[in-house]
Amino acid sequence: LATALALAAAAPLAAEPAPDRNSDEAAVIATVEAFMRGLAAKDAAAMRAHVTEPGFVAKVEERDGADRVGLIPMTQLIASVSSIPVPVSEPLRGEVVTVDGAVATVRADYDFIIDGKLSHCGVDIFTLMRIDGAWKIATITYSHLATGCGAAQ
């Protein structure tokens, strides 16, 4: 379960007011927010609806003076998050959206909350692709920090 929790990075809704965004940027952030609502609800179908197949999740965690890197299929993350027996949330803040044609990224700070308690924090980087007119998350890459968490991160 510890691995599943550590790999469960992504975020629900933005806590800050959204800056003015063009229609593509708004659609990209809406996709990420919908995925994050699915994460908070532990709803596998809702998360799957917003990702490519295959999709991947990568993390890097500094532990014991070394960088620990992990790469898993998005389906494994979704299954892990869906099976967590307590409430989870991952609020995002400071989202930066970049769109270049049919490719987009969203970078945001996050806190990962398990059963009402801060577990860890870091940065999420979502890579999205526009496929048949719909934005889908292809990858989520994130840092996993045990200290220095909070809104001032």
Side-chain angles (χ1 to χ4, degrees), residues 11-82:
L13 301 174
E16 301 171 359
D20 290 336
R21 294 197 166 105
N22 67 36
S23 61
D24 275 336
E25 292 168 341
V28 165
I29 199 70
T31 300
V32 170
E33 289 176 344
F35 177 86
M36 298 311 293
R37 282 191 300 274
L39 182 142
K42 299 184 280 186
D43 183 336
M47 287 183 277
R48 274 194 306 271
H50 300 287
V51 301
T52 61
E53 182 56 45
F56 294 95
V57 178
K59 78 159 185 165
V60 62
E61 175 182 6
E62 294 178 33
R63 190 183 324 157
D64 302 326
D67 292 334
R68 305 219 179 187
V69 177
L71 179 66
I72 63 168
M74 188 80 70
T75 54
Q76 185 176 337
L77 169 80
I78 291 169
S80 296
V81 169
S82 300

Side-chain angles (χ1 to χ4, degrees), residues 9-146:
L13 301 174
E16 301 171 359
D20 290 336
R21 294 197 166 105
N22 67 36
S23 61
D24 275 336
E25 292 168 341
V28 165
I29 199 70
T31 300
V32 170
E33 289 176 344
F35 177 86
M36 298 311 293
R37 282 191 300 274
L39 182 142
K42 299 184 280 186
D43 183 336
M47 287 183 277
R48 274 194 306 271
H50 300 287
V51 301
T52 61
E53 182 56 45
F56 294 95
V57 178
K59 78 159 185 165
V60 62
E61 175 182 6
E62 294 178 33
R63 190 183 324 157
D64 302 326
D67 292 334
R68 305 219 179 187
V69 177
L71 179 66
I72 63 168
M74 188 80 70
T75 54
Q76 185 176 337
L77 169 80
I78 291 169
S80 296
V81 169
S82 300
S83 67
I84 297 172
V86 296
V88 297
S89 67
E90 191 175 335
L92 298 179
R93 60 186 181 282
E95 298 92 330
V96 176
V97 180
T98 304
V99 178
D100 187 13
V103 175
T105 61
V106 175
R107 183 248 183 245
D109 295 321
Y110 76 90
D111 290 322
F112 193 72
I113 313 295
I114 302 172
D115 203 17
K117 297 178 184 83
L118 179 65
S119 168
H120 60 276
C121 63
V123 171
D124 282 335
I125 301 170
F126 299 86
T127 305
L128 297 88
M129 300 186 308
R130 191 178 58 223
I131 301 170
D132 297 327
W135 289 100
K136 300 285 184 175
I137 299 168
T139 65
I140 302 170
T141 302
Y142 69 97
S143 61
H144 181 283
L145 306 172

